[in-house]
């Protein structure tokens, strides 16, 4: 009898220790300490060009196909993503299985760029944009429902309002399968636009001040939707908010928005323990590194402050031309808004967007590298560049067409 009692106690003790261990590990992962594994399975299909920049040299390869389980959140990304070099070498085949996916970050000029994509590309079969309808039909030639463009103004927000990299890579293929009524593998050309972080942040602040909320954003990550993220305001919106109040909300997703939207959030436990001070430095490091890697892996990105360069890079990468040029927006309004801030407020905005600042510096260097490479390989660079910066000067174009001829 005593022997059975000892055995029961022993088994009970083991169960108790096991339960305590599981609870402890779950607690750590809940607080985002179970972050990225030491060895992640990255496909070496795409490599990032080397640079003297230390941050550039840290980015070793770009994932084309990932299957991972990090921080308790599974993320199964198994799509074929085309990087810049391959896009340039092979071009974009609108008649086959190629799809441009526009990752639209708030207040970066993405609305204007999105309209360029559906209205201004010189195509044999341009998008059909009916009057009084926001969206256009961008179907492949000789098809009735196969989309070559996944964006706000073509398919709509099928992966959620302003879907980020984590949401898009997890959703886009299934969304297109559902839309087209067939399951097929496609090649995805991810593109985006970035903006100076201070100007973008202040633009978002003014937008929220006027009543914007983006409440319907899904925040999908690791196979689940995070619906319980706290709001910075009470009521239906944050109309009339002052800048200091806007900045003081620690869980305001406007802070470092560009980095967060370009990073693989599963590497940092998705939104679990978001913005907790205990692990924020480690989380920031992981998100910034991931954002840089994903940006470098994209087929294309542009900068709001460098419209002509961005247009030229797009046209030469995709071997497609725009009928109307990208307009360089006047920065007077943004400059005036910054001039109205105190030095303390400007510094606070800069601190809150320090990751975005570093990401933009990386992007600017990479953009200029791509421009130099394309310029060097373009036998008609002067003609193509003049067409971008002087689109309506026919004498320039005629002269250089004679020289080329």
């Amino acid at each position: 009898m005593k022997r059975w009692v000892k055995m029961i106690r022993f088994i009970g003790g083991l169960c108790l220790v096991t339960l305590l261990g599981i609870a402890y590990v779950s607690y750590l992962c809940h607080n985002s300490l179970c972050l990225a594994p030491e060895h992640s399975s990255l496909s070496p299909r795409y490599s990032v060009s080397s640079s003297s920049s230390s941050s550039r040299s840290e980015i070793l390869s770009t994932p084309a196909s990932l299957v991972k389980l990090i921080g308790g959140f599974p993320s199964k990304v198994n799509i074929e993503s085309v990087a810049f070099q391959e896009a340039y070498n092979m071009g974009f085949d609108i008649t086959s299985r190629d799809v441009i996916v526009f990752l639209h970050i708030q207040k970066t000029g993405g609305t204007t760029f999105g309209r360029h994509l559906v209205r201004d590309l010189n195509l044999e079969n341009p998008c059909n944009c009916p009057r009084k309808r926001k969206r256009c039909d961008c179907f492949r030639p000789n098809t009735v429902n196969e989309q070559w463009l996944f964006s706000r103004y073509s398919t709509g927000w099928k992966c959620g309002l302003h879907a980020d990299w984590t949401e898009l890579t997890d959703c886009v293929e299934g969304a297109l399968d559902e839309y087209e009524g067939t399951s097929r593998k496609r090649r995805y050309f991810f593109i985006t636009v970035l903006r100076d972080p201070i100007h973008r942040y202040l633009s978002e602040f003014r937008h929220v001040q006027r009543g914007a909320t983006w409440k319907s954003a899904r925040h999908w990550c690791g196979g689940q939707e995070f619906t319980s993220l706290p709001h910075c305001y009470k009521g239906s919106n944050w109309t009339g908010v002052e800048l200091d109040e806007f900045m003081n909300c620690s869980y305001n997703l406007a802070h470092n928005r560009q980095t967060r939207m370009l990073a693989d959030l599963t590497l940092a436990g998705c939104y679990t323990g978001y913005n907790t001070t205990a692990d924020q430095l480690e989380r920031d490091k992981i998100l910034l590194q991931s954002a840089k890697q994903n940006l470098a892996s994209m087929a294309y990105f542009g900068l709001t402050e460098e419209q002509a360069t961005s247009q030229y890079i797009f046209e030469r990468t995709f071997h497609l031309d725009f009928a109307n040029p990208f307009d360089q927006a006047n920065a007077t309004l943004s400059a005036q808004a910054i001039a109205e801030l105190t030095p303390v407020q400007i510094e606070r905005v800069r601190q809150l967007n320090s990751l975005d600042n570093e990401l933009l510096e990386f992007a600017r260097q990479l953009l200029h590298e791509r421009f130099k490479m394309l310029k060097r390989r373009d036998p008609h660079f002067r003609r193509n560049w003049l067409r971008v910066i002087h689109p309506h000067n026919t004498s320039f174009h005629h002269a250089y067409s004679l020289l080329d001829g």
Side-chain angles (χ1 to χ4, degrees):
M1 186 69 178
K2 290 183 179 180
R3 184 177 177 184
W4 280 106
V5 171
K6 288 182 179 180
M7 185 173 294
I8 291 173
R9 287 178 178 174
F10 177 72
I11 294 173
L14 283 178
C15 292
L16 181 60
V17 170
T18 301
L19 288 173
L20 288 173
I22 292 173
Y24 179 69
V25 171
S26 298
Y27 172 80
L28 289 180
C29 288
H30 177 76
N31 287 279
S32 301
L33 294 177
C34 303
L35 295 171
E38 293 182 6
H39 306 286
S40 58
S41 57
L42 300 184
S43 167
R45 173 169 182 172
Y46 303 122
S47 60
V48 179
S49 59
S50 60
S51 169
S52 58
S53 168
S54 59
S55 61
R56 189 80 48 77
S57 63
E58 291 173 3
I59 301 176
L60 301 178
S61 61
T62 299
S65 176
L66 307 175
V67 178
K68 50 185 174 290
L69 179 61
I70 299 169
F73 298 106
S75 174
K76 296 181 180 179
V77 181
N78 189 22
I79 60 176
E80 186 178 350
S81 176
V82 178
F84 163 72
Q85 189 66 52
E86 183 178 358
Y88 169 75
N89 290 337
M90 302 183 63
F92 178 77
D93 189 352
I94 198 172
T95 65
S96 182
R97 59 190 184 97
D98 293 354
V99 179
I100 293 175
V101 182
F102 179 32
L103 194 164
H104 184 173
I105 302 173
Q106 291 95 317
K107 313 312 294 180
T108 58
T111 297
T112 300
F113 178 69
R115 290 196 184 105
H116 276 302
L117 290 174
V118 297
R119 295 181 182 275
D120 292 335
L121 281 174
N122 284 318
L123 301 170
E124 290 187 14
N125 298 93
C127 297
N128 179 30
C129 301
R131 293 185 61 187
K132 298 183 180 180
R133 202 179 81 176
K134 286 186 177 181
R135 295 207 298 268
C136 304
D137 295 323
C138 297
F139 298 140
R140 300 188 194 283
N142 304 316
T143 71
V144 293
N145 70 337
E146 289 186 18
Q147 293 276 0
W148 60 264
L149 175 64
F150 194 88
S151 74
R152 169 187 182 180
Y153 288 119
S154 55
T155 55
W157 303 112
K158 288 198 173 296
C159 287
L161 178 64
H162 286 285
D164 56 35
W165 188 93
T166 307
E167 293 173 304
L168 282 174
T169 54
D170 191 46
C171 160
V172 61
E173 188 141 281
L176 283 174
D177 284 348
E178 181 179 355
Y179 181 89
E180 297 175 0
T182 182
S183 179
R184 61 197 298 244
K185 286 295 181 182
R186 306 169 182 86
R187 296 200 317 158
Y188 294 98
F189 294 66
F190 282 86
I191 66 175
T192 194
V193 177
L194 298 181
R195 186 181 181 186
D196 174 86
I198 294 180
H199 291 277
R200 195 216 67 80
Y201 185 83
L202 292 175
S203 181
E204 177 166 345
F205 157 66
R206 289 194 295 271
H207 200 52
V208 170
Q209 194 178 47
R210 294 190 296 267
T213 62
W214 298 295
K215 275 183 178 179
S216 58
R218 295 196 314 162
H219 304 302
W220 182 271
C221 179
Q224 62 179 285
E225 183 176 359
F226 288 77
T227 57
S228 59
L229 292 180
H231 289 157
C232 292
Y233 54 90
K234 296 179 180 179
S236 60
N237 56 50
W238 213 1
T239 301
V241 61
E242 295 298 327
L243 180 59
D244 289 336
E245 182 185 356
F246 187 79
M247 293 190 293
N248 287 336
C249 178
S250 61
Y251 37 85
N252 189 343
L253 294 179
H255 306 340
N256 288 313
R257 183 180 287 280
Q258 296 178 99
T259 298
R260 180 180 58 81
M261 290 190 68
L262 288 177
D264 181 352
L265 298 181
T266 64
L267 295 172
C270 293
Y271 293 94
T272 301
Y274 181 76
N275 217 28
T276 55
T277 56
D279 61 335
Q280 192 60 40
L281 290 177
E282 182 65 20
R283 176 190 290 270
D284 287 351
K285 181 179 178 181
I286 291 170
L287 292 181
L288 179 60
Q289 191 66 15
S290 176
K292 287 180 179 178
Q293 179 168 314
N294 290 336
L295 183 71
S297 78
M298 287 184 169
Y300 166 83
F301 69 88
L303 296 182
T304 304
E305 291 76 19
E306 301 194 36
Q307 292 289 331
T309 301
S310 298
Q311 179 181 343
Y312 176 81
I313 291 176
F314 183 98
E315 292 182 343
R316 300 283 66 78
T317 301
F318 287 91
H319 308 292
L320 296 170
D321 294 334
F322 286 98
N324 294 307
F326 293 4
D327 292 326
Q328 186 64 61
N330 193 325
T332 303
L333 291 177
S334 297
Q336 181 180 353
I338 292 176
E340 294 173 356
L341 304 183
T342 67
V344 173
Q345 288 176 317
I346 294 175
E347 181 58 29
R348 178 72 172 140
V349 171
R350 185 174 287 109
Q351 290 175 355
L352 290 170
N353 294 277
S354 60
L355 301 183
D356 278 6
N357 280 321
E358 189 170 340
L359 177 65
L360 181 72
E361 190 57 37
F362 172 84
R364 193 177 284 129
Q365 292 178 32
L366 188 56
L367 187 87
H368 292 162
E369 287 180 9
R370 292 183 176 183
F371 178 75
K372 290 177 183 177
M373 186 274 282
L374 293 170
K375 175 183 176 181
R376 188 172 61 250
R377 297 184 181 184
D378 185 357
H380 308 299
F381 170 74
R382 288 179 64 83
R383 182 189 66 183
N384 291 330
W385 180 245
L386 285 172
R387 187 185 57 78
V388 169
I389 61 176
H390 298 297
H392 306 298
N393 195 323
T394 56
S395 60
F396 274 134
H397 305 157
H398 178 66
Y400 278 101
S401 65
L402 291 175
L403 291 174
D404 291 338

